[in-house]
Amino acid sequence: MCDEAKCHKQEQMSVCIRYTKHFEVYERFIGFLNVSEKQDAETLVNAILNFLKLCKLDQVPIVGQSYDGANVMSGRQGGVQTKMKIHYPYATYIHCMAHKLNLIVVDMCKNVKVSSNFELTYYLYNKSTVNL
């Protein structure tokens, strides 16, 4: 799972992994990558692959990948997910659920008039719980 964010003048990419051990699911943050120079798909894929190699995870089979919906990440023609499939053919792309939820909340806030933040928080907590 990777996501980019600006931090002052740097563009950082967070990298997390999700794996199972004895039928238990674990999710771990493994680091940030500085991708300030360029954010095209080829550069991002190379950064991810180099980071996995540095962490000695390059030989672990990757069966899933999750990014936001930005074209550079999710694009079917030349996005990161497509380029990663060259190296890991079984790595199925899934749009990140947190980003999907964020898009729903943003859209809802644009279209629904809520009398207070408390009501919105209550609604989201009780009605839109996502089981991850």
Side-chain angles (χ1 to χ4, degrees):
M1 295 176 285
C2 298
D3 193 18
E4 296 174 73
K6 265 197 186 302
C7 176
H8 301 285
K9 294 182 180 183
Q10 288 187 334
E11 187 80 18
Q12 298 286 326
M13 179 189 295
S14 63
V15 180
C16 297
I17 59 170
R18 192 171 201 185
Y19 61 95
T20 61
K21 184 176 179 181
H22 304 295
F23 300 104
E24 293 287 328
V25 177
Y26 296 91
E27 193 170 294
R28 301 286 185 256
F29 166 77
I30 57 173
F32 286 111
L33 305 176
N34 184 348
V35 291
S36 297
E37 287 188 33
K38 211 171 183 187
Q39 292 89 38
D40 64 24
E42 192 69 37
T43 303
L44 297 176
V45 167
N46 288 333
I48 294 167
L49 293 174
N50 289 335
F51 187 66
L52 292 175
K53 189 173 186 174
L54 180 70
C55 295
K56 297 183 172 52
L57 294 170
D58 56 324
Q59 298 302 311
V60 175
I62 295 176
V63 296
Q65 48 182 327
S66 180
Y67 315 111
D68 62 15
N71 193 48
V72 71
M73 300 305 277
S74 65
R76 290 185 180 166
Q77 296 295 320
V80 169
Q81 65 109 356
T82 304
K83 293 180 180 298
M84 285 295 286
K85 278 187 149 286
I86 295 168
H87 303 279
Y88 299 98
Y90 299 107
T92 303
Y93 166 70
I94 300 166
H95 189 144
C96 176
M97 293 307 287
H99 283 96
K100 281 185 177 184
L101 182 60
N102 183 55
L103 292 172
I104 292 167
V105 171
V106 168
D107 194 47
M108 187 174 74
C109 288
K110 288 179 184 176
N111 296 301
V112 176
K113 299 295 179 195
V114 179
S115 62
S116 72
N117 286 338
F118 174 77
E119 290 176 19
L120 177 61
T121 304
Y122 177 82
Y123 176 80
L124 291 174
Y125 181 76
N126 291 302
K127 304 293 184 193
S128 301
T129 304
V130 176
N131 294 322
L132 298 176

